[in-house]
Amino acid sequence: MGAYETEAFAGNWSVTAYAICANPVPGLVRVSTTSVSDSADFHSTTATCPVGKVLTGTGYELNGVTGEGVVDDFRPKGGVAAAPTSVNVGAYESDATALNWSATAYPICANPLPGLVRTSTAGASNSLDFRSVVATCPVGKVLTGAGYELNGVTGEGIVDDFRPNGGPATAPTSATSGAYEEDAYAGNWSDTAYAICATA
């Protein structure tokens, strides 16, 4: 995982990467799809699992924008009654740039897992500077992957906390998404967290 400062910052800071791990899953593969590379303000791409496989995890990458792009839509498709099979990545320029750039979506896919579903929790829509929301797996299920979506802020919101909740001795069962306004923004906006869950 890598991150850039969107604006010059004199303080010390760090990045923490989390991995959700399990015993080998049959048919596990990672695929990718990359958007067009140009200097448009917004880029979006959807990557889909091969036929017969389901989405168990997600990832993304912004290419060529080095600190001037923010992902505000990192959304596994699916629902509480249907296993997810694709992930969408949407990103805006945080500040105008003439650079050509693109977004890449990475779905981690496997043969169907028992009870695989996608849940979501939407936070309140308001003009506060910070918000945080947690998506929780149904009882008896564990977290295999996650996502988030910022609504209404179009490039002015930055997710700085995207975290599976668990530990080395505890299976994760929820995911947190926390986001700030990059610059003061008067409009209302919200954060939605997504959890991809399977039967334990």
Side-chain angles (χ1 to χ4, degrees):
M1 183 172 190
Y4 285 92
E5 295 178 359
T6 58
E7 297 173 356
F9 178 73
N12 295 330
W13 60 285
S14 64
V15 175
T16 301
Y18 296 92
I20 302 170
C21 307
N23 294 336
V25 177
L28 194 68
V29 295
R30 190 208 74 180
V31 297
S32 65
T33 301
T34 300
S35 73
V36 65
S37 180
D38 59 25
S39 60
D41 176 64
F42 176 74
H43 289 77
S44 179
T45 187
T46 298
T48 301
C49 291
V51 174
K53 295 186 184 292
V54 294
L55 184 74
T56 61
T58 54
Y60 67 78
E61 182 179 12
L62 299 185
N63 315 289
V65 74
T66 57
E68 298 299 335
V70 294
V71 172
D72 78 340
D73 185 359
F74 181 42
R75 183 169 26 99
K77 305 288 187 72
V80 293
T85 58
S86 65
V87 60
N88 184 78
V89 173
Y92 284 91
E93 294 178 355
S94 58
D95 293 304
T97 175
L99 295 170
N100 289 335
W101 63 284
S102 63
T104 299
Y106 295 102
I108 302 170
C109 309
N111 295 345
L113 296 178
L116 192 72
V117 296
R118 187 210 73 184
T119 66
S120 63
T121 301
S125 180
N126 55 44
S127 61
L128 295 178
D129 175 65
F130 174 75
R131 67 267 340 277
S132 182
V133 64
V134 177
T136 302
C137 292
V139 174
K141 296 182 188 288
V142 294
L143 187 75
T144 68
Y148 62 82
E149 182 179 14
L150 303 184
N151 302 289
V153 72
T154 58
E156 295 298 333
I158 297 176
V159 171
D160 76 340
D161 183 6
F162 177 54
R163 174 174 34 92
N165 300 310
T170 306
T173 57
S174 65
T176 295
S177 174
Y180 283 92
E181 295 177 0
E182 183 207 8
D183 296 308
Y185 181 75
N188 291 335
W189 61 287
S190 65
D191 187 4
T192 298
Y194 295 95
I196 304 170
C197 310
T199 302

